[in-house]
Amino acid sequence: MTRLRLRGGRVVDPTQPADDVRDLCVQDGRIVTIDPREPVDEEIDADGCVVMAGGIDLHTHIGGGKINLARLLMPEDHRTRGNPIALPENPLELASCGGCVPGTLATGYRYVEMGYTAAFEPAMIASNARHAHMEMGDTPILDHGAYVMLGNDELFLQLLAEGGASGRNFETIRDYMGWTIHATKAMGVKVVNPAGISAFKFNQRKLDVDENHVHWQVTPRQVVHTLARALRELGVPHPLHIHGSNLGSAGNIESTLQTIQALEGLPGHLTHIQFHAYGVEGPKKFSSAARQLAEAVNANPNISIDVGQIMFGQTVTASGDTMRQHAQSGLANPRKWIGGDIECEAGCGVVPFKYREQSYVNALQWVIGLEIFLLVDDPWRVVLTTDHPNGGPFTSYPHLIRLLMDRSFREEQLAKLHPDVATNCALRSITRELTLREIAIMTRAAPARLLGLVDRGHLAPGAAADIAVYREQADREAMFTTPEHVFKDGTLVARAGRITAVPVGGTHFVEPDYDRAIEKTLRAHLAAHGSVNFDHIAIGHDDLCRCCNGGRLLPAACFEGAT
Amino acid sequence: MTETPLPPSARSTRWTCPFCVLLCDDLSVRENPVGNGFELAAGTCAPAEAGLAQFGTAPSAATPRVDGRPCPLDDAVAAAARALVASRQPLFGGLGTDVAGARALYRLACDTGAICDPADGDALMHGVRALQDRGGFTTTLAEVRNRADLIVCVGGLPFGPRADFFRRCGLGEATVAQRHVVVLGGSANDEAALAALTGRGVTTESVSMQGGDLFSTVALLAAVLADRQVGAVPPQLATLAERLRAARYSVIVAETPRLPEHGALLIETIDRIVATLNLATRSGALWLGGGDGAGTVNQVFTWLSGLPLRSRAGPAGLEHEPLCFDAQRLIDDAAVDSLLWVSCFDAGCVPPPTDLPLIVLGHPGLAAPAGRTGTVFVPVSTPGVGSAGHLFRGDGGAVLPLVPLYRDTLPELADVLVRLTQAVKSLRTEASA
């Protein structure tokens, strides 16, 4: 029963009324209250430090088929100036390398060194679920979970189409969703280019929100609404995770606003929204629609977002959106890319990309992301992401935090951009600087709340002792790059940028209730159309344990559904 | 370790076959009439039958050996650890294991700086190198079953005439009303097998190679499809190009281990064909390779380290050398001074002839090749026969759980590797103390 006291730090916990300087105590992996006069086993001086809950990344491509393809595609990313990446000096670390798509081991070490303690893979394909859980299980220290992809699988589209306008098949779809979450041990559901990945398999090249899928004759609007409603009825805490239509296209703000309308007030999380907030104004017919987007988010409390900020430099984009990745594959840098149609349920597109400051489009993308961060009023509905690795690697978060907290630094960076962007963008006139409390919301408290993780993302008594202790510095990038101490469930896992313990992280998932009778339908469908025996699809708890390397299973509670 | 329920021995049981990359999981297995082995309860499949023939119905009583003499596992692990610690550049070859084995193998490879190259590493590298250079566009079995109206098999029918490949593609099912199957550069046996596929909505055709050369044939096809001026095109090839253009969803399939030397160039050209087709219609490539665990180990090493096989955690750092780290070349050049060989699925996958200190972890049938002085042999369980496990299917996406046919008395590879890694660490600690 080890007791630890972090003495005299400024505790920034947005779930508490004030960010007081106070002691924070830990016992058996949990935050506890201990009388200041009582002895503890270890006391750490946190004077001059900011104490936050461990960071939670709710959208980061860290595990599964397409990210391993990205690693295979980019061996040059796994060298440094032509030389092999040196082996770790720390005997606790195993060799693992990579810049924009590191190995899972390096991913875990680097996240933890920055004070993050949980990360969520947003695009798990059901047929690839074991693989995703295996990679996450091999991402040390971090707790993890994944959202399973629906909305492009032929069975869903067929049920939706055959149910007609009256939604006759809604209950079947809901139970199918419940079974899929159960079978894949998912934490949520994501839709990627609703119906568009499937449409591309039927040789359709574009799909607007109210346009029919060429084969199934259903629209993205129907897909989004049906999925959001089903998820709500199943009581899954995380809202439908939506990668909307027309990613990356000029003018796609229209699709984004229509997607918000399609939800009709149902909860929805619009992911990497920067890539979906483009207008068609200006000489290049490509403009920021950040203000329109922010107004819509501000006006619709059912909507949350993560930004997907881009960062300049080399990265590789890895997406389930085959339709859009194929369309943009001509921009690949270096000139190579991977695409795939997958199991009548999904797809993937892996396109290397180099964001350049002197590119008008890239500069504007950078600006749009920051504008969104700064124009949305309620930080509880905004999560800080780069859509790792699509906008940039997660290791750039401290730089991003500085951009958001430090206006003069932001302006220095802005001045380096393509002159038309630097001169004309609305960002220039935005004076807002995010506070530490707002950063703590966007990187911890809000993602925990959006995921339904009641004991994470805050530091109230009873919470898990996932803690990051940052030395207060004016240079926020330096401050957030290397916390003094990082604790995972009360264990010191990093000290001043050095990994000190490598526990296996736990797996978050939800287990919604659904009508088991759906299995008969699924068994028949798979027998006629699948490539895997129905009995081998669902991942049981023992199997999940093996996949996840023996980490703890962390089922999250569902709320009482509307049914 | 979780207990996996075992089937009652007398009846047939559902089984997932680990012996080829299709990982058929709708098979039933039962004891053969003589009672000394397993057989498929229905249907035929050459790889499955050959794989099963390596096992009795009860666990093997094989014991570990050092220098060919039976010994306790502890002694074998200690001898193997001494050999690895004495080695300046170990080579890990074979690599026939599943996900759990690969995870454990990576730790040992990091601790020893071993170069890792699977059996038939050249075949695996065909795909890896093409991917690194160009990428590609692939499809999977369920897509083929539900969409493919044209299937073009390059270099022969996958897995030969007796395999289950076309059943897995849904040939003859109503999912796709009319399909055309082409074999490009197949053998006489392939042509005979094609005839057997014909009917029930399936038409077939054999297209011969240009001048007997697959490379120039595929290159010519790519040029025709890209509308380049290439002079006179043989009618068969011109027809194939037209069929590819007209297909709603064509699939070009090849078994990568059967591609000739420099097969990466073929894959690259076919990727180009698929890319051209995808500008106007839909197409995907299906590369079937990485059997006997090689593809699985490649996936695991890639996600752990960031780099695929033919890599090492060497003195300069993590190095990937898709040409130089060829196991046979390293042995021939005396660039390695010990060999650890893993083959859990195939007793016929023997280590290359060598006088180097040799550690073999694998199927009990590998005792003989590891019988000389300077060898350590540890028989281990086969995932999908004696123990549970996970393998990646050859099309890359699906990971299937393997269920055992009996409860093995042999240890799992991962358990042996964990002990071996600990023994290596202990020896190093002793040496530095």
Side-chain angles (χ1 to χ4, degrees):
Chain A
M1 210 168 66
T2 311
R3 303 210 298 183
L4 164 75
R5 179 181 288 125
L6 293 167
R7 201 184 56 239
R10 182 175 159 210
V11 178
V12 178
D13 177 357
T15 67
Q16 303 300 309
D19 302 335
D20 299 327
V21 171
R22 60 182 172 94
D23 295 351
L24 190 73
C25 297
V26 174
Q27 181 173 315
D28 299 333
R30 296 270 152 185
I31 306 293
V32 292
T33 306
I34 297 177
D35 189 290
R37 291 160 300 187
E38 275 194 49
V40 290
D41 300 287
E42 190 184 1
E43 193 159 278
I44 291 173
D45 182 5
D47 182 36
C49 292
V50 168
V51 181
M52 290 187 183
I56 298 171
D57 196 338
L58 70 46
H59 187 106
T60 172
H61 297 275
I62 55 167
K66 67 183 175 310
I67 213 68
N68 225 26
L69 285 172
R71 294 184 188 108
L72 284 168
L73 184 67
M74 298 290 285
E76 61 270 45
D77 176 54
H78 296 190
R79 295 177 78 87
T80 172
R81 287 188 292 278
N83 295 315
I85 292 175
L87 300 184
E89 289 170 13
N90 185 343
L92 288 173
E93 293 185 27
L94 285 171
S96 186
C97 64
C100 49
V101 268
T104 57
L105 297 163
T107 299
Y109 307 142
R110 302 294 91 82
Y111 257 118
V112 168
E113 286 164 3
M114 294 194 314
Y116 273 70
T117 51
F120 290 82
E121 161 60 47
M124 176 169 72
I125 298 175
S127 62
N128 188 242
R130 284 186 179 84
H131 179 183
H133 284 298
M134 284 167 176
E135 288 203 22
M136 290 189 289
D138 282 338
T139 305
I141 309 168
L142 294 178
D143 290 337
H144 43 81
Y147 321 137
V148 64
M149 283 162 58
L150 282 171
N152 280 287
D153 46 310
E154 305 300 331
L155 177 60
F156 168 86
L157 293 168
Q158 183 182 347
L159 288 168
L160 189 62
E162 291 174 354
S166 62
R168 249 188 341 271
N169 283 335
F170 175 74
E171 289 178 0
T172 307
I173 289 172
R174 184 195 60 207
D175 292 332
Y176 167 42
M177 178 187 270
W179 179 86
T180 304
I181 293 169
H182 153 79
T184 61
K185 296 292 173 281
M187 189 61 183
V189 172
K190 183 191 193 193
V191 61
V192 174
N193 187 351
I197 302 170
S198 164
F200 182 64
K201 296 174 186 175
F202 292 90
N203 203 23
Q204 196 167 0
R205 303 297 166 130
K206 186 177 82 59
L207 190 60
D208 289 325
V209 175
D210 289 308
E211 189 175 356
N212 270 335
H213 180 296
V214 68
H215 178 76
W216 293 113
Q217 299 294 308
V218 296
T219 63
R221 182 183 294 273
Q222 288 170 275
V223 172
V224 166
H225 185 83
T226 305
L227 289 171
R229 184 181 156 209
L231 206 50
R232 177 76 171 177
E233 292 199 5
L234 290 170
V236 173
H238 187 49
L240 180 63
H241 204 88
I242 304 167
H243 157 148
S245 308
N246 292 317
L247 177 140
S249 303
N252 63 12
I253 184 66
E254 291 306 321
S255 303
T256 305
L257 299 176
Q258 286 164 358
T259 302
I260 293 173
Q261 288 167 3
L263 287 164
E264 295 177 15
L266 289 163
H269 179 86
L270 303 180
T271 191
H272 43 68
I273 196 68
Q274 176 276 130
F275 290 108
H276 302 268
Y278 305 149
V280 288
E281 286 159 28
K284 298 192 193 296
K285 307 288 183 207
F286 184 81
S287 58
S288 169
R291 195 168 291 280
Q292 273 170 282
L293 177 89
E295 283 169 6
V297 174
N298 290 339
N300 290 279
N302 59 314
I303 299 297
S304 57
I305 59 171
D306 65 81
V307 172
Q309 176 68 33
I310 70 146
M311 291 293 173
F312 298 111
Q314 177 72 57
T315 194
V316 54
T317 64
S319 170
D321 194 341
T322 333
M323 177 189 270
R324 294 300 310 148
Q325 291 290 75
H326 180 265
Q328 298 181 104
S329 59
L331 301 171
N333 185 352
R335 286 188 65 84
K336 53 183 178 180
W337 80 288
I338 297 173
D341 298 322
I342 301 173
E343 291 296 87
C344 294
E345 61 177 55
C348 81
V350 180
V351 182
F353 214 87
K354 197 174 277 179
Y355 294 108
R356 294 180 303 111
E357 288 162 333
Q358 288 307 308
S359 151
Y360 179 86
V361 170
N362 297 164
L364 200 56
Q365 288 178 303
W366 183 89
V367 161
I368 292 168
L370 295 179
E371 288 177 353
I372 293 169
F373 272 114
L374 298 168
L375 290 172
V376 174
D377 295 334
D378 179 6
W380 285 96
R381 294 193 282 125
V382 184
V383 177
L384 184 142
T385 65
T386 56
D387 186 18
H388 165 81
N390 294 342
F394 65 82
T395 44
S396 56
Y397 286 178
H399 179 80
L400 175 55
I401 290 172
R402 187 173 180 196
L403 289 169
L404 296 169
M405 295 189 72
D406 181 343
R407 187 186 176 198
S408 62
F409 178 68
R410 188 160 72 223
E411 287 181 346
E412 273 172 41
Q413 304 307 308
L414 184 58
K416 297 177 187 170
L417 304 192
H418 188 287
D420 292 350
V421 174
T423 314
N424 299 322
C425 67
L427 183 64
R428 286 186 68 193
S429 58
I430 299 177
T431 57
R432 185 177 173 190
E433 292 180 326
L434 297 187
T435 63
L436 274 177
R437 196 174 171 85
E438 285 171 324
I439 292 295
I441 293 171
M442 292 180 180
T443 55
R444 286 113 165 113
R449 186 177 285 184
L450 287 165
L451 288 162
L453 302 175
V454 293
D455 64 348
R456 310 272 161 176
H458 67 89
L459 295 170
D466 294 351
I467 308 167
V469 182
Y470 301 97
R471 173 73 50 196
E472 177 88 65
Q473 296 179 62
D475 178 347
R476 300 306 193 184
E477 183 171 346
M479 173 177 166
F480 281 97
T481 298
T482 313
E484 295 271 313
H485 301 87
V486 183
F487 296 89
K488 180 80 193 68
D489 294 307
T491 299
L492 182 69
V493 288
R495 171 83 178 88
R498 185 178 172 85
I499 297 295
T500 53
V502 281
V504 178
T507 304
H508 291 289
F509 58 100
V510 287
E511 292 193 310
D513 199 15
Y514 62 93
D515 185 348
R516 301 305 196 257
I518 187 66
E519 293 182 3
K520 195 176 164 198
T521 306
L522 299 175
R523 188 178 288 277
H525 175 79
L526 278 162
H529 298 280
S531 72
V532 176
N533 191 326
F534 175 80
D535 294 317
H536 298 150
I537 292 183
I539 306 172
H541 282 198
D542 288 348
D543 196 5
L544 183 62
C545 261
R546 284 179 77 114
C547 290
C548 291
N549 221 356
R552 286 192 302 156
L553 303 187
L554 304 167
C558 291
F559 59 80
E560 192 76 12
T563 45
Chain B
M1 195 59 57
T2 54
E3 293 289 312
T4 307
L6 293 170
S9 61
R11 284 177 296 155
S12 67
T13 183
R14 293 295 273 276
W15 178 65
T16 301
C17 173
F19 298 117
C20 98
V21 293
L22 297 179
L23 297 183
C24 296
D25 69 341
D26 53 355
L27 303 174
S28 289
V29 163
R30 65 183 175 209
E31 273 188 29
N32 63 21
V34 187
N36 65 353
F38 295 108
E39 63 179 15
L40 294 179
T44 61
C45 174
E49 288 159 10
L52 284 171
Q54 306 177 100
F55 300 89
T57 53
S60 163
T63 61
R65 290 165 185 260
V66 173
D67 298 334
R69 287 189 295 278
C71 66
L73 178 59
D74 284 348
D75 293 1
V77 167
R82 283 193 298 275
L84 288 174
V85 169
S87 172
R88 286 190 300 169
Q89 180 55 69
L91 169 66
F92 290 1
L95 311 186
T97 183
D98 73 338
V99 171
R103 282 169 156 171
L105 200 57
Y106 185 68
R107 290 180 173 268
L108 185 62
C110 283
D111 277 342
T112 57
I115 294 169
C116 298
D117 182 28
D120 201 5
D122 278 345
L124 187 77
M125 286 303 125
H126 289 335
V128 167
R129 291 183 64 208
L131 206 61
Q132 291 171 339
D133 284 346
R134 166 173 288 276
F137 197 106
T138 56
T139 190
T140 67
L141 282 178
E143 299 287 354
V144 179
R145 185 179 181 190
N146 289 278
R147 290 183 212 289
D149 52 352
L150 175 61
I151 300 173
V152 180
C153 307
V154 176
L157 293 180
F159 311 107
R162 285 191 60 234
D164 246 3
F165 173 68
F166 287 105
R167 182 181 65 82
R168 301 295 305 277
C169 292
L171 237 62
E173 293 179 352
T175 41
V176 177
Q178 184 65 48
R179 301 190 203 248
H180 191 66
V181 178
V182 177
V183 62
L184 179 62
S187 65
N189 278 347
D190 287 334
E191 292 187 20
L194 269 187
L197 295 173
T198 310
R200 287 185 304 161
V202 180
T203 52
T204 62
E205 180 183 4
S206 175
V207 175
S208 50
M209 289 184 280
Q210 271 296 98
D213 181 69
L214 198 51
F215 292 88
S216 47
T217 308
V218 172
L220 183 58
L221 182 62
V224 171
L225 286 165
D227 289 328
R228 294 209 188 89
Q229 296 301 318
V230 290
V233 180
Q236 270 194 320
L237 219 50
T239 306
L240 179 56
E242 279 315 306
R243 287 190 191 281
L244 284 163
R245 283 195 177 113
R248 287 193 311 278
Y249 196 98
S250 60
V251 174
I252 305 182
V253 55
E255 211 186 332
T256 49
R258 288 174 63 189
L259 295 178
E261 211 176 338
H262 303 293
L265 298 175
L266 277 175
I267 294 177
E268 193 270 349
T269 311
I270 292 169
D271 283 338
R272 206 142 36 92
I273 290 172
V274 170
T276 304
L277 292 169
N278 274 329
L279 295 174
T281 179
R282 288 307 329 278
S283 182
L286 182 63
W287 306 117
L288 298 169
D292 278 340
T296 297
V297 177
N298 194 51
Q299 288 271 6
V300 174
F301 274 53
T302 301
W303 80 55
L304 288 170
S305 76
L307 291 168
L309 289 173
R310 292 200 172 169
S311 293
R312 72 165 170 173
L318 265 171
E319 297 168 273
H320 171 55
E321 295 288 351
L323 292 175
C324 299
F325 287 172
D326 169 343
Q328 190 60 56
R329 175 200 291 247
L330 293 167
I331 291 171
D332 293 346
D333 293 351
V336 291
D337 58 0
S338 69
L339 173 62
L340 182 147
W341 187 260
V342 175
S343 180
C344 297
F345 298 105
D346 184 1
C349 183
V350 298
T354 174
D355 296 329
L356 294 175
L358 174 67
I359 301 158
V360 174
L361 311 175
H363 186 283
L366 287 162
R372 65 167 166 83
T373 303
T375 61
V376 176
F377 172 63
V378 180
V380 297
S381 187
T382 299
V385 177
S387 50
H390 292 100
L391 280 178
F392 278 74
R393 210 170 62 191
D395 54 359
V399 177
L400 285 176
L402 304 175
V403 289
L405 294 170
Y406 52 69
R407 185 165 293 137
D408 220 330
T409 49
L410 298 178
E412 292 181 24
L413 176 71
D415 296 338
V416 175
L417 288 169
V418 167
R419 294 174 68 161
L420 183 51
T421 306
Q422 283 166 350
V424 165
K425 284 182 193 289
S426 300
L427 280 180
R428 290 242 168 81
T429 310
E430 283 169 25
S432 62

